[in-house]
Each structure stands twice: as C-alpha cells, then as structure tokens.
Amino acid sequence: QKEVEQNSGPLSVPEGAIASLNCTYSDRGSQSFFWYRQYSGKSPELIMFIYSNGDKEDGRFTAQLNKASQYVSLLIRDSQPSDSATYLCAVKGSGGSNYKLTFGKGTLLTVNP
Amino acid sequence: GAVVSQHPSRVICKSGTSVKIECRSLDFQATTMFWYRQFPKQSLMLMATSNEGSKATYEQGVEKDKFLINHASLTLSTLTVTSAHPEDSSFYICSASVSSYEQYFGPGTRLTVT
C-alpha cells in the first residue's frame, strides 16, 4: 500500500515567520510530488510541484525534495494570515495509471496576526 | 491556469434517489479526469480515474454500479450516485489532468442525503 504521511498539526506560526511543512512517502519509485492548499469547505488548489532532488522556489514558497530519504517539504516564507489553510502533500507513483495521485491527510497551518 | 467547473455546487436529496454531478474543463481538453471523495477532516480519497471514450477505472472498495462515471468528451465527465444513502453524504471533487505533472481541481460538490 502506497502511503503518504504528514503531521496533522495544527502548526501555528506568527505572521512573518517561516512555516515548514513536511511529508514522507513509502513508494520509492514515486516520480513527482505536489503541494496543494485547501481552505475550509473548498477544493484543493495547486501551489507547486517538484520532481528533481533539491529545492524549487516560487515566490514565498520553496519545495524541497530528497528522494533518498523519501522526504518532501514546503517552506512558506513571510507567512501571512491568508496562508492559514490545510496543506496537502500528494505523490504521483510509479507503474501504470501514471497520472494518479496519492494524498496525505494534510497539515493544518494557522498563521497568527 | 486551467479552470475546472463542477455542477451543482451543493445538492440535498432524499435517500434512494440518484444524483448526477458534472465536471467540465473549461479552457483545455483533459485526457484524464479523476473523481475524489472527502469526508470531514479527512484527506481526498480517489474513487475512480476516467478517460474519454473508455470505461472508468475504479479504486478498490468503490462500487462501480453505485458510482456511475461517464466521460463522453475531452471536456466533460459525470458522476452519478445511484440510490444514494446518508452514508454517501460527502464532498465530491473532480480534477482534470493537463499533463503528467499537473492536476487541477473543480470547486467540489457537497452532497447531503437525508
């Protein structure tokens, strides 16, 4: 069974701080990794994806991937109250049905003004 | 970015009736669409993968005769919950795949079965 694990939180950070969200996955053959943000009662929206080891930056967001450790993280710099949401880590696996994603349970982030 | 719509956004139905949910990709052609279900405080659970013109592939434990999926075109997929029961009440979300790297989600449909 392919699994994606996240700390459920809640993770609470003050406004302006760096929020660090972590995710581990069990399928060593996983190809691509995604971070989605989901506000309460809404559907997920894609923040960014990463498929190579190392860092990928997009504005205030940085995704980090370490395939050897089967670990992916998301850093949010200068956190804002509007960043308060549940962050879902998703992994695209190996094998058939290449587009299928497996989601973690999400980490609830609260940014305090 | 790619836009995916769902209709209706919210539906309340009586136990035993059927409900159809539409998922449309508005500005792109989606080779693959996905249907998810999300219960309160739980993550998204994939129900089925839908490819245009072919039968949907259902995940283990999802009844294909209860959750009917039709993917008639590259921009439209429908999910019909047949003979709905209160335990089917959930947030149903579709997504459409633009490429192997990106999947865009519709706004979701909240189903309540009374």
Side-chain angles (χ1 to χ4, degrees):
Chain A
Q1 177 118 5
K2 299 174 183 178
E3 295 183 349
V4 177
E5 300 287 340
Q6 292 182 256
N7 186 325
S8 61
L11 173 65
S12 183
V13 301
E15 183 174 356
I18 296 175
S20 177
L21 304 159
N22 305 315
C23 173
T24 59
Y25 58 94
S26 63
D27 182 7
R28 188 169 287 278
S30 297
Q31 303 291 317
S32 311
F33 308 86
F34 303 79
W35 283 100
Y36 287 85
R37 176 174 62 198
Q38 186 175 26
Y39 292 111
S40 180
K42 303 294 185 182
S43 67
E45 54 181 318
L46 180 65
I47 297 174
M48 61 192 307
F49 63 87
I50 185 169
Y51 55 90
S52 297
N53 276 327
D55 295 359
K56 179 180 178 182
E57 187 174 317
D58 184 358
R60 296 187 294 113
F61 300 95
T62 299
Q64 299 174 317
L65 175 62
N66 184 325
K67 289 186 178 180
S69 301
Q70 295 175 240
Y71 174 91
V72 59
S73 66
L74 179 70
L75 300 179
I76 306 174
R77 289 182 298 281
D78 188 24
S79 295
Q80 301 297 309
S82 58
D83 294 328
S84 298
T86 296
Y87 288 80
L88 301 170
C89 172
V91 175
K92 183 169 80 73
S94 56
S97 192
N98 288 329
Y99 292 11
K100 195 164 75 171
L101 296 178
T102 300
F103 283 84
K105 291 186 176 181
T107 298
L108 177 62
L109 171 67
T110 301
V111 180
N112 301 306
Chain B
V3 179
V4 177
S5 71
Q6 267 184 256
H7 179 80
S9 59
R10 187 180 296 267
V11 58
I12 300 173
C13 71
K14 292 186 176 181
S15 184
T17 60
S18 295
V19 174
K20 180 185 283 188
I21 303 170
E22 288 189 351
C23 176
R24 293 182 185 272
S25 56
L26 298 184
D27 52 0
F28 66 98
Q29 293 185 327
T31 52
T32 306
M33 289 184 171
F34 303 86
W35 287 96
Y36 295 85
R37 181 168 53 180
Q38 187 177 35
F39 292 106
K41 299 192 184 300
Q42 299 293 315
S43 189
L44 279 75
M45 295 302 297
L46 180 65
M47 300 175 67
T49 303
S50 171
N51 291 293
E52 184 264 340
S54 62
K55 290 183 179 180
T57 301
Y58 290 81
E59 294 299 299
Q60 191 173 6
V62 178
E63 299 174 57
K64 63 179 181 180
D65 294 329
K66 180 172 182 63
F67 299 99
L68 302 179
I69 293 173
N70 184 280
H71 195 156
S73 73
L74 286 172
T75 60
L76 173 64
S77 177
T78 60
L79 167 68
T80 301
V81 182
T82 63
S83 187
H85 292 284
E87 58 265 30
D88 297 323
S89 299
S90 188
F91 191 39
Y92 290 86
I93 311 172
C94 73
S95 72
S97 183
V98 178
S99 70
S100 61
Y101 291 122
E102 298 175 54
Q103 217 179 99
Y104 291 93
F105 285 85
T109 297
R110 191 161 301 281
L111 171 64
T112 303
V113 185
T114 61

